[in-house]
Amino acid sequence: MTIYDIADRAGVSIATVSRVVNGSDKVRPKTKEKVLKVIEEAGYTPNVFAQGLGLNTMHTVGILVPDISDLYMSSAVSCLEDALHLCGYDCILSGSGFDIRNKRAHVQLLLSKKIDALIMVGSTYAGAGTDPTETDYIREAAKQVPVFLINGVVEGDNIYCAVCDDCKAVHQMVDAMIKSDKKRILFLTDSHSYSAQQKMLGYKQALSENGIAFDESLSLYVRNGIHEVYYQLLAQDDLHFDACFATDDSLAIGVLKYAKAKKLRVPEDISVVGCNNSYLSIACEPELTSIDNRLEDICRSTVEHLMNKLHGGNDIPSKTIVPSTIQLRAST
Amino acid sequence: MTIYDIADRAGVSIATVSRVVNGSDKVRPKTKEKVLKVIEEAGYTPNVFAQGLGLNTMHTVGILVPDISDLYMSSAVSCLEDALHLCGYDCILSGSGFDIRNKRAHVQLLLSKKIDALIMVGSTYAGAGTDPTETDYIREAAKQVPVFLINGVVEGDNIYCAVCDDCKAVHQMVDAMIKSDKKRILFLTDSHSYSAQQKMLGYKQALSENGIAFDESLSLYVRNGIHEVYYQLLAQDDLHFDACFATDDSLAIGVLKYAKAKKLRVPEDISVVGCNNSYLSIACEPELTSIDNRLEDICRSTVEHLMNKLHGGNDIPSKTIVPSTIQLRAST
DNA sequence: TTGTATGCGTTATCAC
DNA sequence: GTGATAACGCATACAA
């Protein structure tokens, strides 16, 4: 069923049908009604490929995520998809993994699909900041479509970033820990990303402000996973700490398991804080104090900026910072 | 940059360029090399809209999910996307929610995007089975593209279902509970879906086989959510049970929280089993025995069948059953 | 082996 | 208001 069939049946030209379909006002009500009736009867829908060819857009945006099954990522995708859908856009989803070569390949693939914009979720896409060429492929992509980063910062034309104020929130949290008499605060992370660096910064600031020297041995890098953390801590017998800040909830839960195994009370002997305020933080025991990075706010603002950009807006902030909040629970 | 530009620069016709791009062997190596070089230099990629218009496909499949942020769903999407990507297909993702009207609308929208196939994830799409017209929109969609259901069963032409053997696994699990001297086993669910019904069936079978009468008061419907379950159980003071089977891990964790509040030991006083073997099941305390419905197997088999179908296969099973396994942990 | 010509289903620019 | 017609960029049947 094509526009020609409709035109035939309605006794008009395809131009008129097109006008009706696209809601042009330059068509006589009587004609419009007639065409609409035929369309209804025939169950006609315009062919999106032909539309795409003519208009050079199919109203889709690409969403790139390192790992879709991750709680944090999937929340973001859910939020983004929802907001985009409301604006009449579809999303084509792609999971790149963490390897730089795959990231590049996936971006290329998405671009070849003629997406209207690209959203990259997760600070992993911002790289570690040590090697600027690491993010060149993003700048390259931005030459074709606007690129929006969620929770990562990359400088460049046509690149727009939205992040939460991790540094500040961690700063506050660690400060509060120190004030409540914690002396040795473990910093636990599974990443060297921009976000992790910001958190480390807040951690160091709080220490320094309280006249505590940064102790390298209290900064631990562990592969993500509850049990990984648990075993790693058990293995480090000489490591003593009375509080822990972890850059992810699951890392923090690993610490809870460790505390239980060592018969340490939480929060009395060890107080524990996680990040992302995920569903995990209320599944564990005790429930976990967690830094909420306002993912929904970030996503909503991203889509808002995206739509603005696509509709010709020009005053879009290249970096949006959303304040984090702290969700207090029993682990502190 | 179009195929015409490439043809000009390489001094050949567009047909030849097209042949090179599509890897036809009917082109002289010398010519091929020349064209390839120009393509490389120009960074040319075929316009997918034009391709789509001619071939009537853009190699995309639609994935419909009620809630993307759900742990179970996002794992499925991750798995599906991965497998599809390996086959050279992209996915356009859509979150429908649980309302039937929205489901219908989302299916229509996906179909209008000219997807090559539709995958629906979650037993919610199978309806409760009480009203067959509830799933008519799926049969309608199947007239346009093959439809694949994950974890739900709908009968119809061009509809293919993959489910795990929930009934059997629950049967085994409940039987084991009874054998270990549990008398009053609570059945906790947040759904009336096909999957939930299968689980109930297994539950009843095990009871009946062991000569225990089904007690309506031990079958509880609660809205999903750890705290919802927790409060609901606390509110039901007269409800006594010494074991619980929950159709979802988070429901089961609600029971764990309830046990802790009531100072009941798990598994001694109450043994608890969940479903989906999600990350939650190792986050809680004690860690949760959970029925693993082999989501990855289901997804992989679905994509396999899908590819088969798209490549002209004709002997695709309309219903695939994957055996569940039981992941034993400390809660039983 | 290569080139020419046509169709795919729209939208948009003209005339009328 | 409405209709004819030219893009849009590709694949492919057919001709050479």
Side-chain angles (χ1 to χ4, degrees), chain B residues 160-182:
Chain B
Y160 307 92
C161 309
V163 294
C164 58
D165 199 347
D166 283 325
C167 175
K168 193 170 162 201
V170 175
H171 186 144
Q172 274 177 26
M173 194 67 234
V174 173
D175 188 64
M177 282 172 159
I178 297 171
K179 296 281 194 287
S180 67
D181 222 35
K182 299 293 182 181

PDB file of all heavy atoms in Angstrom, chain B residues 160-182:
ATOM      1  N   TYR B 160       6.744 -17.265  17.473  1.00  0.00           N
ATOM      2  CA  TYR B 160       7.638 -18.273  18.023  1.00  0.00           C
ATOM      3  C   TYR B 160       7.972 -17.934  19.467  1.00  0.00           C
ATOM      4  O   TYR B 160       8.340 -16.810  19.780  1.00  0.00           O
ATOM      5  CB  TYR B 160       8.903 -18.367  17.171  1.00  0.00           C
ATOM      6  CG  TYR B 160       8.572 -18.585  15.716  1.00  0.00           C
ATOM      7  CD1 TYR B 160       8.428 -17.506  14.859  1.00  0.00           C
ATOM      8  CD2 TYR B 160       8.344 -19.865  15.214  1.00  0.00           C
ATOM      9  CE1 TYR B 160       8.077 -17.699  13.523  1.00  0.00           C
ATOM     10  CE2 TYR B 160       7.989 -20.072  13.889  1.00  0.00           C
ATOM     11  CZ  TYR B 160       7.860 -18.985  13.050  1.00  0.00           C
ATOM     12  OH  TYR B 160       7.506 -19.176  11.735  1.00  0.00           O
ATOM     13  N   CYS B 161       7.827 -18.915  20.338  1.00  0.00           N
ATOM     14  CA  CYS B 161       8.002 -18.658  21.761  1.00  0.00           C
ATOM     15  C   CYS B 161       9.171 -19.447  22.327  1.00  0.00           C
ATOM     16  O   CYS B 161       9.417 -20.582  21.925  1.00  0.00           O
ATOM     17  CB  CYS B 161       6.743 -19.047  22.525  1.00  0.00           C
ATOM     18  SG  CYS B 161       5.256 -18.314  21.822  1.00  0.00           S
ATOM     19  N   ALA B 162       9.863 -18.837  23.248  1.00  0.00           N
ATOM     20  CA  ALA B 162      10.901 -19.556  23.979  1.00  0.00           C
ATOM     21  C   ALA B 162      10.686 -19.309  25.466  1.00  0.00           C
ATOM     22  O   ALA B 162      10.578 -18.165  25.902  1.00  0.00           O
ATOM     23  CB  ALA B 162      12.282 -19.095  23.552  1.00  0.00           C
ATOM     24  N   VAL B 163      10.567 -20.388  26.195  1.00  0.00           N
ATOM     25  CA  VAL B 163      10.317 -20.269  27.638  1.00  0.00           C
ATOM     26  C   VAL B 163      11.208 -21.260  28.376  1.00  0.00           C
ATOM     27  O   VAL B 163      11.760 -22.175  27.790  1.00  0.00           O
ATOM     28  CB  VAL B 163       8.853 -20.605  27.978  1.00  0.00           C
ATOM     29  CG1 VAL B 163       7.916 -19.589  27.383  1.00  0.00           C
ATOM     30  CG2 VAL B 163       8.502 -21.999  27.486  1.00  0.00           C
ATOM     31  N   CYS B 164      11.328 -21.046  29.670  1.00  0.00           N
ATOM     32  CA  CYS B 164      12.047 -22.032  30.450  1.00  0.00           C
ATOM     33  C   CYS B 164      11.012 -22.878  31.175  1.00  0.00           C
ATOM     34  O   CYS B 164       9.847 -22.514  31.287  1.00  0.00           O
ATOM     35  CB  CYS B 164      12.976 -21.369  31.433  1.00  0.00           C
ATOM     36  SG  CYS B 164      12.108 -20.275  32.524  1.00  0.00           S
ATOM     37  N   ASP B 165      11.483 -23.987  31.654  1.00  0.00           N
ATOM     38  CA  ASP B 165      10.547 -24.919  32.263  1.00  0.00           C
ATOM     39  C   ASP B 165      10.326 -24.560  33.738  1.00  0.00           C
ATOM     40  O   ASP B 165      10.701 -25.306  34.640  1.00  0.00           O
ATOM     41  CB  ASP B 165      11.076 -26.344  32.136  1.00  0.00           C
ATOM     42  CG  ASP B 165       9.950 -27.349  32.318  1.00  0.00           C
ATOM     43  OD1 ASP B 165       8.869 -26.938  32.784  1.00  0.00           O
ATOM     44  OD2 ASP B 165      10.159 -28.525  32.002  1.00  0.00           O
ATOM     45  N   ASP B 166       9.712 -23.408  33.943  1.00  0.00           N
ATOM     46  CA  ASP B 166       9.459 -22.907  35.283  1.00  0.00           C
ATOM     47  C   ASP B 166       8.722 -23.915  36.140  1.00  0.00           C
ATOM     48  O   ASP B 166       9.064 -24.154  37.298  1.00  0.00           O
ATOM     49  CB  ASP B 166       8.614 -21.627  35.212  1.00  0.00           C
ATOM     50  CG  ASP B 166       9.448 -20.431  34.796  1.00  0.00           C
ATOM     51  OD1 ASP B 166      10.618 -20.378  35.183  1.00  0.00           O
ATOM     52  OD2 ASP B 166       8.913 -19.565  34.085  1.00  0.00           O
ATOM     53  N   CYS B 167       7.693 -24.475  35.526  1.00  0.00           N
ATOM     54  CA  CYS B 167       6.830 -25.395  36.269  1.00  0.00           C
ATOM     55  C   CYS B 167       7.653 -26.501  36.932  1.00  0.00           C
ATOM     56  O   CYS B 167       7.545 -26.747  38.123  1.00  0.00           O
ATOM     57  CB  CYS B 167       5.797 -25.985  35.323  1.00  0.00           C
ATOM     58  SG  CYS B 167       4.762 -27.238  36.063  1.00  0.00           S
ATOM     59  N   LYS B 168       8.490 -27.112  36.133  1.00  0.00           N
ATOM     60  CA  LYS B 168       9.281 -28.243  36.616  1.00  0.00           C
ATOM     61  C   LYS B 168      10.249 -27.828  37.724  1.00  0.00           C
ATOM     62  O   LYS B 168      10.376 -28.504  38.759  1.00  0.00           O
ATOM     63  CB  LYS B 168      10.059 -28.844  35.444  1.00  0.00           C
ATOM     64  CG  LYS B 168      10.672 -30.185  35.736  1.00  0.00           C
ATOM     65  CD  LYS B 168      11.206 -30.805  34.452  1.00  0.00           C
ATOM     66  CE  LYS B 168      12.198 -31.911  34.734  1.00  0.00           C
ATOM     67  NZ  LYS B 168      13.044 -32.147  33.545  1.00  0.00           N
ATOM     68  N   ALA B 169      10.927 -26.696  37.489  1.00  0.00           N
ATOM     69  CA  ALA B 169      11.916 -26.250  38.466  1.00  0.00           C
ATOM     70  C   ALA B 169      11.257 -25.941  39.810  1.00  0.00           C
ATOM     71  O   ALA B 169      11.765 -26.313  40.874  1.00  0.00           O
ATOM     72  CB  ALA B 169      12.654 -25.022  37.943  1.00  0.00           C
ATOM     73  N   VAL B 170      10.114 -25.273  39.742  1.00  0.00           N
ATOM     74  CA  VAL B 170       9.426 -24.930  40.987  1.00  0.00           C
ATOM     75  C   VAL B 170       8.937 -26.206  41.663  1.00  0.00           C
ATOM     76  O   VAL B 170       9.048 -26.358  42.892  1.00  0.00           O
ATOM     77  CB  VAL B 170       8.243 -23.985  40.707  1.00  0.00           C
ATOM     78  CG1 VAL B 170       7.449 -23.732  41.980  1.00  0.00           C
ATOM     79  CG2 VAL B 170       8.736 -22.680  40.117  1.00  0.00           C
ATOM     80  N   HIS B 171       8.425 -27.078  40.865  1.00  0.00           N
ATOM     81  CA  HIS B 171       7.987 -28.375  41.359  1.00  0.00           C
ATOM     82  C   HIS B 171       9.107 -29.035  42.176  1.00  0.00           C
ATOM     83  O   HIS B 171       8.925 -29.403  43.336  1.00  0.00           O
ATOM     84  CB  HIS B 171       7.610 -29.252  40.157  1.00  0.00           C
ATOM     85  CG  HIS B 171       7.007 -30.567  40.509  1.00  0.00           C
ATOM     86  ND1 HIS B 171       6.021 -31.157  39.773  1.00  0.00           N
ATOM     87  CD2 HIS B 171       7.243 -31.418  41.536  1.00  0.00           C
ATOM     88  CE1 HIS B 171       5.682 -32.304  40.315  1.00  0.00           C
ATOM     89  NE2 HIS B 171       6.419 -32.491  41.386  1.00  0.00           N
ATOM     90  N   GLN B 172      10.268 -29.139  41.569  1.00  0.00           N
ATOM     91  CA  GLN B 172      11.430 -29.736  42.244  1.00  0.00           C
ATOM     92  C   GLN B 172      11.773 -29.023  43.543  1.00  0.00           C
ATOM     93  O   GLN B 172      12.005 -29.640  44.576  1.00  0.00           O
ATOM     94  CB  GLN B 172      12.661 -29.628  41.341  1.00  0.00           C
ATOM     95  CG  GLN B 172      12.827 -30.751  40.357  1.00  0.00           C
ATOM     96  CD  GLN B 172      14.027 -30.496  39.468  1.00  0.00           C
ATOM     97  OE1 GLN B 172      14.959 -29.807  39.852  1.00  0.00           O
ATOM     98  NE2 GLN B 172      13.978 -31.052  38.271  1.00  0.00           N
ATOM     99  N   MET B 173      11.810 -27.706  43.409  1.00  0.00           N
ATOM    100  CA  MET B 173      12.228 -26.886  44.550  1.00  0.00           C
ATOM    101  C   MET B 173      11.266 -27.063  45.725  1.00  0.00           C
ATOM    102  O   MET B 173      11.687 -27.282  46.865  1.00  0.00           O
ATOM    103  CB  MET B 173      12.244 -25.417  44.089  1.00  0.00           C
ATOM    104  CG  MET B 173      12.950 -24.496  45.020  1.00  0.00           C
ATOM    105  SD  MET B 173      14.721 -24.832  45.098  1.00  0.00           S
ATOM    106  CE  MET B 173      14.907 -25.044  46.853  1.00  0.00           C
ATOM    107  N   VAL B 174       9.989 -26.950  45.436  1.00  0.00           N
ATOM    108  CA  VAL B 174       8.995 -27.054  46.499  1.00  0.00           C
ATOM    109  C   VAL B 174       8.993 -28.470  47.085  1.00  0.00           C
ATOM    110  O   VAL B 174       8.865 -28.657  48.308  1.00  0.00           O
ATOM    111  CB  VAL B 174       7.594 -26.675  45.977  1.00  0.00           C
ATOM    112  CG1 VAL B 174       6.520 -26.946  47.018  1.00  0.00           C
ATOM    113  CG2 VAL B 174       7.565 -25.211  45.564  1.00  0.00           C
ATOM    114  N   ASP B 175       9.173 -29.423  46.211  1.00  0.00           N
ATOM    115  CA  ASP B 175       9.261 -30.808  46.679  1.00  0.00           C
ATOM    116  C   ASP B 175      10.404 -30.963  47.673  1.00  0.00           C
ATOM    117  O   ASP B 175      10.251 -31.567  48.741  1.00  0.00           O
ATOM    118  CB  ASP B 175       9.472 -31.737  45.482  1.00  0.00           C
ATOM    119  CG  ASP B 175       9.387 -33.205  45.880  1.00  0.00           C
ATOM    120  OD1 ASP B 175       8.288 -33.623  46.315  1.00  0.00           O
ATOM    121  OD2 ASP B 175      10.410 -33.907  45.797  1.00  0.00           O
ATOM    122  N   ALA B 176      11.549 -30.389  47.314  1.00  0.00           N
ATOM    123  CA  ALA B 176      12.714 -30.457  48.202  1.00  0.00           C
ATOM    124  C   ALA B 176      12.426 -29.786  49.537  1.00  0.00           C
ATOM    125  O   ALA B 176      12.833 -30.261  50.600  1.00  0.00           O
ATOM    126  CB  ALA B 176      13.915 -29.806  47.528  1.00  0.00           C
ATOM    127  N   MET B 177      11.712 -28.680  49.481  1.00  0.00           N
ATOM    128  CA  MET B 177      11.353 -27.978  50.720  1.00  0.00           C
ATOM    129  C   MET B 177      10.509 -28.872  51.616  1.00  0.00           C
ATOM    130  O   MET B 177      10.753 -28.987  52.822  1.00  0.00           O
ATOM    131  CB  MET B 177      10.543 -26.709  50.392  1.00  0.00           C
ATOM    132  CG  MET B 177      11.374 -25.541  49.901  1.00  0.00           C
ATOM    133  SD  MET B 177      10.273 -24.203  49.341  1.00  0.00           S
ATOM    134  CE  MET B 177      11.387 -22.798  49.430  1.00  0.00           C
ATOM    135  N   ILE B 178       9.536 -29.490  51.011  1.00  0.00           N
ATOM    136  CA  ILE B 178       8.647 -30.360  51.784  1.00  0.00           C
ATOM    137  C   ILE B 178       9.445 -31.519  52.392  1.00  0.00           C
ATOM    138  O   ILE B 178       9.284 -31.853  53.569  1.00  0.00           O
ATOM    139  CB  ILE B 178       7.514 -30.905  50.892  1.00  0.00           C
ATOM    140  CG1 ILE B 178       6.643 -29.746  50.385  1.00  0.00           C
ATOM    141  CG2 ILE B 178       6.650 -31.905  51.657  1.00  0.00           C
ATOM    142  CD1 ILE B 178       5.628 -30.137  49.335  1.00  0.00           C
ATOM    143  N   LYS B 179      10.318 -32.087  51.578  1.00  0.00           N
ATOM    144  CA  LYS B 179      11.129 -33.212  52.045  1.00  0.00           C
ATOM    145  C   LYS B 179      12.012 -32.795  53.230  1.00  0.00           C
ATOM    146  O   LYS B 179      12.331 -33.605  54.100  1.00  0.00           O
ATOM    147  CB  LYS B 179      12.023 -33.730  50.918  1.00  0.00           C
ATOM    148  CG  LYS B 179      11.267 -34.312  49.732  1.00  0.00           C
ATOM    149  CD  LYS B 179      10.776 -35.728  49.995  1.00  0.00           C
ATOM    150  CE  LYS B 179      10.321 -36.427  48.706  1.00  0.00           C
ATOM    151  NZ  LYS B 179       9.018 -35.905  48.198  1.00  0.00           N
ATOM    152  N   SER B 180      12.411 -31.526  53.244  1.00  0.00           N
ATOM    153  CA  SER B 180      13.230 -31.075  54.371  1.00  0.00           C
ATOM    154  C   SER B 180      12.341 -30.518  55.478  1.00  0.00           C
ATOM    155  O   SER B 180      12.740 -29.638  56.228  1.00  0.00           O
ATOM    156  CB  SER B 180      14.263 -30.049  53.911  1.00  0.00           C
ATOM    157  OG  SER B 180      13.613 -28.875  53.504  1.00  0.00           O
ATOM    158  N   ASP B 181      11.101 -31.023  55.471  1.00  0.00           N
ATOM    159  CA  ASP B 181      10.210 -30.826  56.608  1.00  0.00           C
ATOM    160  C   ASP B 181       9.537 -29.462  56.731  1.00  0.00           C
ATOM    161  O   ASP B 181       9.107 -29.081  57.821  1.00  0.00           O
ATOM    162  CB  ASP B 181      10.978 -31.133  57.895  1.00  0.00           C
ATOM    163  CG  ASP B 181      10.097 -31.936  58.838  1.00  0.00           C
ATOM    164  OD1 ASP B 181       9.298 -32.755  58.344  1.00  0.00           O
ATOM    165  OD2 ASP B 181      10.173 -31.703  60.051  1.00  0.00           O
ATOM    166  N   LYS B 182       9.463 -28.763  55.619  1.00  0.00           N
ATOM    167  CA  LYS B 182       8.714 -27.518  55.650  1.00  0.00           C
ATOM    168  C   LYS B 182       7.244 -27.838  55.406  1.00  0.00           C
ATOM    169  O   LYS B 182       6.914 -28.594  54.487  1.00  0.00           O
ATOM    170  CB  LYS B 182       9.236 -26.563  54.570  1.00  0.00           C
ATOM    171  CG  LYS B 182      10.710 -26.179  54.745  1.00  0.00           C
ATOM    172  CD  LYS B 182      10.914 -25.327  55.989  1.00  0.00           C
ATOM    173  CE  LYS B 182      12.368 -24.910  56.135  1.00  0.00           C
ATOM    174  NZ  LYS B 182      12.604 -24.101  57.329  1.00  0.00           N
TER     175      LYS B 182
END
